[in-house]
Amino acid sequence: MDVVNEKTLLAEALKGQRLVIPDMRPIFAHWPCGQNENYQVVKDTTEKKLIAHDIDDEARRAFDDINPALLAAKWWPTSSIKQYQVMVDMIIWLGYWDDLIENLIPYPDAAEEMRITTKILVRQSLGLAGRNKEDVIISNLLICGFKSIADEVCAMYDEDQRRILLGHFDQYIDSTQLEAEADRSEKLPSLKRYWEVRILTSGMCTLLGLTDQFRIVPEFMGDNRHDQFDVCQQYISDLKNHYLLRASVNDLISFKKEMKAGSVLSSVAILYDQVNSLDAAVQMSLAHLRQLVDYFDCTSNTILSSFSLNDDDAESVSKFIDALRMVNTGNLDLQSSRYGVSQFMKASGQIELVL
């Protein structure tokens, strides 16, 4: 295939094809799920906040479609109302910032300036700027609104923990440059390279670092009290596995939406390019999902059964594992128009549409 036209030719080959995605809920049927009881209260508060922000109509419609309050309610059904509101605010902030940086893909210099400025804002807001504070000029009120999110973080986390969280922010912000390079390239990335960048640009590591359940995780906490059990690597493996789970589901159900936006940067498209069959690409994605779920369950069981955790640690680890699982089961709620597939879903749960 001509490298110059690789992505264009792939998009043309996929256009008009019938995409059938079997019901994915049975894969996660043994995992817990729920919805935060404070959903309506937080939704009303969030809508008032959005009205107060100076954002354009397109961005407002996008948030209406996403319904960040419902998204967070499904992802973190057991969080307190205060923690839940912080997560909703963070989803909005990340989503809006991501759209802004995406719009700057044709303008690399302006995009890099925004990355630099945002990293300074985050560092200062988390109280980690030190004595030499750099000037930050950001006129967008919603982006500047990160300061109120950071106030909550500073109240919960000590300096060492905030530095670890800052590292996750920096990694996410920097990764958008890799995403932009992949978008500008006319060559399709390998599946391995795609997943490497996809995990970084998901922003989930930053979101998870803000939740109560994840303060026990060494990667987020910087707390070595679990080193005696040698479980740090298992935790980290679970987290990476979790990111792949969520991203794999999203790649399937958002494929039509991404195609409509002119993008073939998707694991589904890359698999199709390898096997020249959309049905086979879907089946390969589902097989990968099942393997990830099995691996997650196996590793989780090992952590809980093979190490001498005291009662408090065992309870904390169990909550951590269930929190990861509920992020994934919550992600399968397709009633939101976020993915644009609810109208194509059959009573059986199967999705059938034309690209």
Side-chain angles (χ1 to χ4, degrees):
M1 184 180 287
D2 187 346
V3 171
V4 175
N5 297 312
E6 197 168 303
K7 286 162 69 175
T8 301
L9 290 175
L10 179 58
E12 290 174 352
L14 284 164
K15 187 176 181 181
Q17 290 209 39
R18 184 169 175 264
L19 176 66
V20 178
I21 306 172
D23 185 8
M24 290 182 281
R25 289 173 296 186
I27 299 174
F28 300 91
H30 60 296
W31 283 12
C33 61
Q35 179 171 309
N36 198 292
E37 62 183 3
N38 298 300
Y39 165 62
Q40 194 58 52
V41 174
V42 171
K43 182 175 186 293
D44 293 342
T45 301
T46 300
E47 287 176 349
K48 291 175 183 177
K49 285 185 176 183
L50 286 174
I51 290 172
H53 286 304
D54 183 22
I55 59 177
D56 58 39
D57 291 341
E58 183 179 354
R60 197 174 300 281
R61 283 193 298 272
F63 284 129
D64 287 341
D65 288 345
I66 292 172
N67 193 348
L70 179 60
L71 197 62
K74 294 290 186 179
W75 283 359
W76 296 286
T78 61
S79 294
S80 67
I81 187 169
K82 183 177 181 180
Q83 187 76 45
Y84 172 26
Q85 183 67 67
V86 171
M87 299 310 299
V88 173
D89 293 344
M90 193 65 229
I91 288 172
I92 291 171
W93 189 88
L94 280 172
Y96 191 68
W97 190 89
D98 191 70
D99 284 345
L100 290 177
I101 202 72
E102 212 171 84
N103 290 335
L104 291 176
I105 286 176
Y107 315 102
D109 291 342
E112 185 58 22
E113 180 62 29
M114 183 175 174
R115 291 187 193 97
I116 293 170
T117 304
T118 304
K119 287 166 71 173
I120 295 172
L121 170 68
V122 171
R123 185 164 61 247
Q124 290 182 355
S125 300
L126 291 175
L128 300 173
R131 294 182 179 180
N132 300 319
K133 290 190 175 181
E134 303 163 87
D135 291 332
V136 178
I137 302 175
I138 298 178
S139 59
N140 190 291
L141 293 178
L142 198 155
I143 298 301
C144 288
F146 179 78
K147 295 175 183 177
S148 64
I149 299 172
D151 288 342
E152 298 293 341
V153 174
C154 291
M156 294 186 295
Y157 284 10
D158 62 29
E159 182 176 332
D160 288 342
Q161 291 168 339
R162 296 198 308 276
R163 288 193 183 281
I164 292 170
L165 187 61
L166 176 64
H168 292 307
F169 269 103
D170 285 349
Q171 185 181 59
Y172 162 69
I173 291 169
D174 289 341
S175 72
T176 61
Q177 181 176 355
L178 300 176
E179 187 176 41
E181 290 171 356
D183 189 84
R184 286 194 296 267
S185 173
E186 294 181 335
K187 184 177 180 180
L188 198 67
S190 68
L191 190 62
K192 181 177 182 292
R193 180 56 177 167
Y194 170 78
W195 282 127
E196 288 172 350
V197 176
R198 182 78 164 83
I199 291 172
L200 293 174
T201 58
S202 71
M204 282 304 294
C205 202
T206 302
L207 281 169
L208 294 177
L210 293 172
T211 57
D212 289 332
Q213 297 91 339
F214 295 87
R215 295 193 213 180
I216 68 163
V217 185
E219 184 180 9
F220 291 118
M221 289 185 62
D223 185 347
N224 294 319
R225 68 191 180 94
H226 288 289
D227 283 357
Q228 59 182 311
F229 308 119
D230 195 26
V231 296
C232 180
Q233 289 304 313
Q234 282 87 345
Y235 280 131
I236 294 172
S237 294
D238 272 355
L239 287 170
K240 290 179 179 178
N241 181 42
H242 155 78
Y243 299 150
L244 284 172
L245 273 167
R246 178 180 168 275
S248 296
V249 170
N250 285 3
D251 275 13
L252 282 164
I253 59 182
S254 67
F255 192 39
K256 180 179 176 68
K257 185 177 181 180
E258 294 299 321
M259 284 281 296
K260 187 176 180 180
S263 175
V264 290
L265 283 177
S266 164
S267 59
V268 180
I270 295 171
L271 287 169
Y272 170 83
D273 189 59
Q274 293 176 357
V275 299
N276 198 33
S277 167
L278 192 53
D279 287 340
V282 170
Q283 290 304 318
M284 291 169 74
S285 296
L286 293 175
H288 186 220
L289 262 182
R290 294 186 185 96
Q291 290 173 353
L292 290 171
V293 169
D294 288 345
Y295 177 78
F296 185 100
D297 287 341
C298 181
T299 307
S300 299
N301 290 336
T302 299
I303 293 171
L304 290 171
S305 64
S306 301
F307 299 93
S308 301
L309 301 175
N310 61 41
D311 290 344
D312 289 342
D313 284 336
E315 182 181 1
S316 295
V317 173
S318 293
K319 287 181 178 179
F320 156 67
I321 291 170
D322 279 346
L324 282 175
R325 285 170 169 157
M326 287 187 286
V327 168
N328 282 284
T329 53
N331 198 48
L332 279 174
D333 186 349
L334 308 181
Q335 300 310 309
S336 167
S337 59
R338 176 188 184 201
Y339 299 117
V341 297
S342 55
Q343 66 268 36
F344 302 112
M345 184 180 289
K346 306 299 182 182
S348 64
Q350 180 164 288
I351 298 167
E352 299 178 16
L353 52 84
V354 176
L355 297 174

